[in-house]
Amino acid sequence: MTVEFGLDTFGDVTAGSDGALLSDAQTIRNVVEQAVVADEVGLAFFGVGEHHRAEFAVSSPEIVLAAAAARTSRIHLGTAVTVLSSDDPVRVYERFATLDAVSNGRAEVILGRGSFIESFPLFGFDLADYEQLFEERLELFGRLRDERPVTWEGRTRAALRDADVFPKTENGFRAWVGVGGSPESVVRAAQHRYALMLAIIGGSAARFRPFVDLYHRSLAAVGSERLPVGVHSPGHIADTDEEAMEQAYPAIEINRNAIGRERGWPPYSRAQFQHDVGPEGAMYVGSPETVARKLAATVRVLDLDRFDLKYSNGTLSHERMLRSIELYGTQVVPRVRELLAESAG
């Protein structure tokens, strides 16, 4: 079984050694450093999310990724996700074609509607158009991927008449759709022939198997070849289970409660955390062996092509994230490959 292993970050604003929050600027510089370490330990992908709120420093992922491209050589660089609904598909395509050039063919894009809505009023979009904005922009972006003049018309942006888009790429770039778990979104990704990235942030991975099967059936129905399926889930790795949990919980609690106050969630608790890191939870927290075993089980049950660990968790420090990245690349990934080989044999 061939599977890629990557990392995702939202550029969470982190705490320094004195406990105070770092500046947005320092957080962004640290993200670039994290990408460099990810490249050094041989990981396949580094994704940076787009947000427009105080907890996250990155609102322009492509600029951060371009900085990372200049300091890395092998790792693929992309978003996690680009909020296509509140952006323009032509500009998104131009930015990623440019990133593909400066990275020597290492650009990827994961497109999504986003789980936060701050970008809609910020850029003048009506939330009443939430579904139509994404559907139209996804269809147009798919047309732009052909890198030929496009004629297109929709309700949510100006029509195009034989419009060409530059720069041209040398070999195109991979495009995914990030899906939170609705069947309609899975079918949409297949109909437009995008790779599928499942964001599993709650519950067991096994319950997403029907979505994987639906995706493959939907691809076959439109006459498409098999396309990759990936998973994005949160986690943290340290030398021991106890160390990983004690490092991760306070940072995750701060982040969850800040967002939960807006969304009406109950306060996050140790009991909930213990469930989330357990066999039926969506977090991959623990020692390299613990994380590798859970990760291998996820790859097997979903027949994955890629797994992206969302390694930034609230205020978790830069130093601890660097250690987590190092352990992921040097110990977890090789161990997962061993476990997959054993089960295949």
Side-chain angles (χ1 to χ4, degrees), residues 5 26 61 84 98 145 151 190 213 251 256 269 296 308 323 329 333 338:
F5 295 93
Q26 185 59 54
L84 187 63
T98 303
R145 291 173 67 192
T151 296
D213 295 337
R256 286 289 188 91
S269 67
D308 291 341
R323 179 60 175 160
V333 170
E338 287 179 0

Side-chain angles (χ1 to χ4, degrees), residues 145 190 193-195 215-216 218-228:
R145 291 173 67 192
R193 292 175 168 82
Y194 288 91
Y215 176 66
H216 291 312
S218 300
L219 284 176
V222 297
S224 173
E225 73 280 7
R226 188 186 189 280
L227 294 174

Side-chain angles (χ1 to χ4, degrees), residues 235-251:
H236 176 62
I237 306 156
D239 292 288
T240 67
D241 289 344
E242 294 76 14
E243 188 178 3
M245 292 180 189
E246 287 308 308
Q247 290 176 2
Y249 176 73

